[in-house]
């Protein structure tokens, strides 16, 4: 007899994964290595250790170990807010009148409001273990900074956050959450760093960018004794930590014999999507199962759908390693869309390589249609979604509506990465009918590419 699938599929605490899954181990063609921007040679562990914590460097460079044990301290922290539920979106299915089954993995059930805490706690743990005093980072929309300040508070580490100036001014509440957890927040660009002063001189009145805040945070980490830099997306280590999302999702669905046909996630730097799809993509790479995997990005920052697959800088100051990825160029300044977490010019090298191999698809969606989907979802499913997450909702709804036309009973799984309580200015704009869609012209994108390294790699 077929089991009735509950609204929420919960795992027990004991079912929180005991190891992260390293998707790269199952890739025959590995993602391209990070390069030293000065020598153009692959970065060594020693070089990376000047910027990042030692064990995180090992994880970054490890492309062969399939499972990496999750230390007990991290698992204990995970127990405060994990396992996160897989929800069967019965109400949304009914509202759409679709024969499709829609499931979502909800990562917004913690104070930081997003999946970023899964990696923040891991990175803080390794920094503590190394005996460091603290870490530095940047934050755009504020989700990563919030997650990291929670993680640092837990392990008693100092946390210095460089927050893109326009967010610092527009999102005072995020800032206060971070300060409550003990972090110090500096609006970027600032005059506290050499690169910040240079950018301010060149562009007085600039409201900053993620790439610029990264440069400042790296500079401070490398110039302060006992500090290292941490990053909330893009890196292999972050995808590794986020595999906890996919492992839990798969375990939950397996309990009811549900095999998703389509897996959808929003893609900024690629960490939540990389984590959600990890065990499924592993099966696909090993030829055991097939899944359609779709990355959703904003039409205003279309790294996959309109980017180039090439080595590029990760930051505006050009001090970070070069990464091979789908990129719009580090000089590409995306328009002020409300999905701050999706405004990175590049994409993690693992997903870039998989996309290049044709193992996954990508679509770009416009902001107003994303908020239409967000509103529709909120009204029937109850959760107020983050604008970033709503990109995945948009495409999940679109796929479910296609099933309505064809009568196919496809099973759709998407990642609901976070809640939108700090994004109410965006919702206000949408509700007032004042939200625009910004799509870069080919010329804008050409300009971004002009900032890429001039070498052929
Ligand atoms: C940061 C963020 C994203 C995008 O980052 P990825 O690394 O691509 O996952 C998506 N959703 C939310 C809620 C975020 O905070």
């Amino acid at each position: 007899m077929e089991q009735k699938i509950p609204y929420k599929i919960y795992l027990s605490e004991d079912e929180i994964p005991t190891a992260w899954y390293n998707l790269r181990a199952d890739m025959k063609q590995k993602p391209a290595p990070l390069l030293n921007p000065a020598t153009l040679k692959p970065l060594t562990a020693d070089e990376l250790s000047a910027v990042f914590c030692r064990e995180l460097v090992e994880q970054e460079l490890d492309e062969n170990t399939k499972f990496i044990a999750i230390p007990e301290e991290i698992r204990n922290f995970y127990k405060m807010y994990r396992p996160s539920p897989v929800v069967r979106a019965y109400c949304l299915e009914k509202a759409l009148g679709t024969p499709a089954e829609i499931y979502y993995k909800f990562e917004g059930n913690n104070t930081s409001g997003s999946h970023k805490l899964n990696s923040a706690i891991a990175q803080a743990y390794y920094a503590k273990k190394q005996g460091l005093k603290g870490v530095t980072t940047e934050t755009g929309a504020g989700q990563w900074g919030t997650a990291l300040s929670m993680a640092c508070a837990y392990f008693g580490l100092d946390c210095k956050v460089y927050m893109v100036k326009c967010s610092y001014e527009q999102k005072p509440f995020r800032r206060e959450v971070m300060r409550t957890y003990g972090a110090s927040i500096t609006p970027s660009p600032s005059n506290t760093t050499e690169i910040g002063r240079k950018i301010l001189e060149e562009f007085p009145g600039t409201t900053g960018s993620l790439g610029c805040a990264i440069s400042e945070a790296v500079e401070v980490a490398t110039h302060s004794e006992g500090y290292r830099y941490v990053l909330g997306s893009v890196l292999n280590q972050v995808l590794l930590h986020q595999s906890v999302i996919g492992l839990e999702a798969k375990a939950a669905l397996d309990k009811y014999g549900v095999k998703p046909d389509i897996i959808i996630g929003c893609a900024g730097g690629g960490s939540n999507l990389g984590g959600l799809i990890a065990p499924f993509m592993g099966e696909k790479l090993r030829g055991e199962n097939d899944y359609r995997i779709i990355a959703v990005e904003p039409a205003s920052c279309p790294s996959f759908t309109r980017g180039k697959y090439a080595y590029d800088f990760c930051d505006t100051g050009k001090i970070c390693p070069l990464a091979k990825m789908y990129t719009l160029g580090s000089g590409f300044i995306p328009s002020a869309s409300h999905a701050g977490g999706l405004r990175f010019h590049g994409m993690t090298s693992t997903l870039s390589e998989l996309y290049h191999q044709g193992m996954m698809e990508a679509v770009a969606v416009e902001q107003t249609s994303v908020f239409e989907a967000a509103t529709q979802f909120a009204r029937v499913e109850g959760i107020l979604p983050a604008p970033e997450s709503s990109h995945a909702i948009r495409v999940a709804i679109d796929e479910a509506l296609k099933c309505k036309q064809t009568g196919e009973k496809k099973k759709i799984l998407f990642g609901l990465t976070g809640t939108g309580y700090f994004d109410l200015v965006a919702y206000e704009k949408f509700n007032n009918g004042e939200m625009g869609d910004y799509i870069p012209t080919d010329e804008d994108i050409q300009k971004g590419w002009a900032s890429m390294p001039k070498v052929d790699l």
Side-chain angles (χ1 to χ4, degrees):
M1 203 184 76
E2 209 173 291
Q3 247 176 314
K4 164 98 173 137
I5 295 163
Y7 273 71
K8 285 203 183 83
I9 309 177
Y10 277 113
L11 299 174
S12 74
E13 216 167 83
D14 298 336
E15 291 170 293
I16 293 175
T18 53
W20 293 299
Y21 166 59
N22 185 6
L23 178 57
R24 286 171 293 162
D26 276 311
M27 291 171 68
K28 282 200 192 81
Q29 178 68 41
K30 308 287 184 195
L34 294 171
L35 300 185
N36 180 324
T39 63
L40 303 183
K41 296 249 159 55
L43 276 161
T44 62
D46 279 349
E47 286 171 318
L48 282 166
S49 297
V51 180
F52 299 110
C53 304
R54 264 190 315 268
E55 281 200 60
L56 292 168
V57 168
E58 279 168 34
Q59 294 180 358
E60 191 61 32
L61 298 177
D62 187 338
E63 50 185 34
N64 295 312
T65 310
K66 235 184 223 195
F67 289 98
I68 294 177
I70 304 176
E72 204 50 41
E73 290 89 337
I74 298 174
R75 269 191 99 235
N76 285 341
F77 186 89
Y78 279 169
K79 284 176 192 167
M80 289 199 270
Y81 69 102
R82 308 200 69 82
S84 72
V86 167
V87 183
R88 170 82 184 266
Y90 279 117
C91 304
L92 180 62
E93 289 169 17
K94 191 165 161 228
L96 297 173
T98 176
E101 292 178 17
I102 308 175
Y103 300 85
Y104 57 89
K105 177 76 168 161
F106 180 47
E107 289 292 319
N109 259 340
N110 67 76
T111 296
S112 77
S114 83
H115 66 287
K116 292 200 171 69
L117 194 54
N118 300 333
S119 183
I121 195 63
Q123 298 195 44
Y125 167 79
Y126 291 113
K128 184 71 186 178
K129 197 173 160 207
Q130 192 172 326
L132 298 177
K133 282 189 216 144
V135 292
T136 71
T137 198
E138 76 295 327
T139 197
Q143 288 99 315
W144 168 244
T146 311
L148 188 68
S149 44
M150 287 175 73
C152 285
Y154 186 74
F155 286 121
L157 282 167
D158 183 39
C159 179
K160 296 187 199 299
V161 180
Y162 282 80
M163 185 168 187
V164 177
K165 195 181 273 166
C166 61
S167 306
Y168 182 88
E169 285 159 2
Q170 283 168 7
K171 293 190 161 185
F173 296 147
R174 275 243 174 251
R175 195 174 77 207
E176 284 323 304
V177 179
M178 289 186 255
R179 290 180 57 203
T180 303
Y181 282 95
S184 63
I185 325 295
T186 308
S188 164
S190 74
N191 57 17
T192 65
T193 65
E194 212 170 289
I195 186 78
R197 287 189 291 272
K198 201 172 134 208
I199 292 170
L200 283 173
E201 214 164 90
E202 226 176 298
F203 307 99
T206 174
T207 52
S209 72
L210 209 49
C212 162
I214 294 176
S215 303
E216 288 203 272
V218 172
E219 182 183 320
V220 172
T222 50
H223 289 72
S224 318
E225 180 73 32
Y227 281 79
R228 289 294 184 278
Y229 167 72
V230 293
L231 180 62
S233 182
V234 185
L235 296 172
N236 292 318
Q237 58 188 270
V238 183
L239 263 73
L240 176 74
H241 306 147
Q242 295 298 357
S243 68
V244 69
I245 303 173
L247 293 166
E248 281 183 12
K250 188 156 190 314
L253 292 175
D254 281 349
K255 283 197 175 182
Y256 291 89
V258 175
K259 178 190 166 288
D261 299 294
I262 310 176
I263 305 170
I264 301 166
C266 62
S271 74
N272 86 81
L273 179 63
L276 174 68
I277 66 172
F280 302 99
M281 182 61 93
E283 289 189 347
K284 186 164 165 151
L285 286 163
R286 297 190 300 270
E288 297 164 7
N289 252 323
D290 199 15
Y291 302 95
R292 221 185 123 202
I293 291 167
I294 310 175
V296 190
E297 56 187 16
S300 58
C301 192
S303 323
F304 269 136
T305 51
R306 295 175 70 193
K308 237 185 217 173
Y309 190 37
Y311 268 103
D312 192 15
F313 301 101
C314 293
D315 62 324
T316 316
K318 304 184 176 179
I319 57 177
C320 286
L322 295 176
K324 189 172 181 190
M325 56 187 175
Y326 278 86
T327 177
L328 299 163
S330 64
F332 177 81
I333 310 273
S335 62
S337 103
H338 292 290
L342 305 182
R343 291 183 71 215
F344 185 62
H345 63 276
M347 187 60 64
T348 180
S349 58
T350 300
L351 294 190
S352 290
E353 178 54 34
L354 290 166
Y355 181 67
H356 183 66
Q357 291 174 18
M359 297 296 285
M360 53 185 279
E361 305 163 33
V363 291
V365 292
E366 290 174 31
Q367 183 165 246
T368 47
S369 76
V370 166
F371 276 81
E372 277 160 22
T375 304
Q376 188 175 14
F377 180 84
R379 289 182 187 176
V380 294
E381 287 290 322
I383 295 169
L384 182 75
E388 291 88 352
S389 324
S390 305
H391 285 68
I393 299 176
R394 170 75 272 159
V395 173
I397 290 178
D398 290 346
E399 289 298 329
L401 290 175
K402 280 184 206 161
C403 290
K404 187 176 176 177
Q405 290 189 332
T406 61
E408 286 173 290
K409 293 192 170 108
K410 287 201 175 137
K411 298 182 173 79
I412 301 169
L413 168 66
F414 73 90
L416 189 68
T417 50
T419 47
Y421 298 112
F422 290 104
D423 301 283
L424 293 170
V425 170
Y427 276 96
E428 181 188 25
K429 287 249 154 59
F430 177 72
N431 292 331
N432 287 345
E434 295 164 353
M435 182 173 277
D437 290 315
Y438 312 90
I439 302 176
T441 61
D442 287 342
E443 203 189 0
D444 296 333
I445 290 182
Q446 295 288 343
K447 258 190 229 156
W449 284 339
S451 64
M452 288 173 62
K454 298 288 176 287
V455 281
D456 205 10
L457 294 163

